[in-house]
């Protein structure tokens, strides 16, 4: 089957800022925060604290992945120039998203540079209380004045909006507010990350959230679902149960395959993440192909 990975991160350097403070490399693919919290970010066997476009292409080629969307967030640190350079060097393989902090005093110059000068076509907002905007700023409303400004800009520039609202039940997981914001911008394509990031005990809560966001211009990526609904082991029956529920509510045509590379490669095999979809016999072949490839092609490349 043809594959597009809709949720990949490049890492020129580990320069994250999250709820535990700034995060920097501490060796063996790990990052350490200001409070001493340590995360596994990059597979130790790669023997590096960077994730280059060429390294990602090796993984993609080994698993017959045609294209990838390069996203960014506070966890690893914004990588705007590095992602844009990868897209310029490999335009048939990568699509780069821009990311920025709307609170920046030079916000106007930043968005002009990213989306007019560099002509990026996707914007990523990670607003979570864990490693997004609400980790380092006061909690704000997703349908408030600030986000309305950003979404209006995205609409004017015909950007695809990718948004990570954090874990279900967290202060940033404002599903009703996001619904209102989406309804105000029916021409904007929205991709909500991580299938709303449910825990294993939150199938019903996820279902209610998906139902609220079941709108014509909203899609959901499946990145890190295996991690979020843990414990689960290959072939990931728990993960598949969440995907089946999502299909029941929003349809297979609203789901996008994604891996959250590189961090999930510390815990899962890439092939197993693909096969969670590709070898799920409950799904029709057309549904599997929609999730693995067709939907992302339509959302990010207008079907071309």
């Amino acid at each position: 089957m043809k594959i597009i990975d809709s949720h990949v991160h490049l890492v020129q350097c580990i320069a994250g800022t999250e709820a535990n403070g700034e995060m920097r490399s501490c060796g063996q693919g790990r990052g350490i925060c200001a409070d001493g919290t340590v995360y596994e970010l990059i597979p130790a066997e790669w023997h590096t604290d960077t994730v280059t476009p060429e390294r990602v292409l090796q993984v993609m080629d080994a698993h017959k992945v045609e294209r990838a969307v390069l996203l960014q967030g506070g966890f690893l640190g914004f990588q705007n120039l590095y992602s844009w350079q990868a897209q310029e060097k490999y335009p048939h393989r990568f699509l780069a998203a821009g990311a920025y902090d709307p609170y920046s005093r030079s916000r106007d110059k930043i968005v002009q540079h990213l989306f007019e000068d560099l002509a990026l076509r996707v914007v990523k907002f990670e607003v979570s209380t864990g490693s997004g905007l609400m980790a380092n700023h006061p909690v704000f409303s997703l349908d408030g004045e600030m986000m309305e400004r950003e979404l209006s800009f995205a609409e004017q520039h015909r950007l695809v909006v990718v948004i990570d609202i954090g874990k279900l039940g967290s202060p940033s997981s404002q599903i009703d507010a996001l619904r209102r914001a989406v309804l105000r911008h029916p021409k904007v394509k929205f991709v909500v990350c991580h299938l709303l990031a449910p825990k294993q005990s939150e199938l019903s809560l996820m279902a209610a959230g998906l139902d609220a966001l079941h709108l014509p211009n909203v899609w959901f990526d499946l990145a890190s679902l295996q991690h979020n609904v843990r414990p689960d082991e290959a072939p990931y029956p728990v993960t598949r149960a969440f995907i089946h529920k999502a299909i029941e509510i929003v349809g297979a045509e609203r789901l996008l395959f994604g891996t959250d590379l590189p961090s999930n490669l510390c815990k899962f095999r890439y092939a197993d993440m693909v096969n969670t979809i590709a070898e799920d016999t409950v799904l029709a072949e057309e549904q599997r192909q929609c999730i693995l490839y067709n939907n992302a092609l339509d959302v990010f490349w207008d079907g071309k």
Side-chain angles (χ1 to χ4, degrees), residues 252-269:
E253 65 275 9
R254 293 288 157 180
L255 305 181
L256 310 176
F257 171 73
T259 63
D260 222 345
L261 183 159
S263 59
N264 275 332
L265 293 185
C266 299
K267 308 176 183 70
F268 310 106
R269 296 192 325 131

Side-chain angles (χ1 to χ4, degrees), residues 90-104:
Y90 303 104
H92 301 296
R93 307 299 301 277
F94 293 133
L95 179 66
Y100 62 96
D101 185 340
Y103 286 95
S104 299

Side-chain angles (χ1 to χ4, degrees), residues 194-247:
H194 308 305
L195 201 64
L196 300 179
K199 297 177 183 176
Q200 188 172 128
S201 61
E202 295 177 330
L203 182 63
S204 296
L205 188 60
M206 180 203 73
L210 292 178
D211 188 55
L213 291 171
H214 185 197
L215 299 166
N217 56 328
V218 178
W219 289 259
F220 305 87
D221 82 36
L222 303 176
S224 286
L225 189 56
Q226 287 92 343
H227 172 73
N228 288 329
V229 302
R230 65 190 185 278
D232 196 17
E233 295 183 359
Y236 300 110
V238 177
T239 301
R240 285 177 173 174
F242 276 74
I243 294 171
H244 297 163
K245 176 59 72 173
I247 291 172

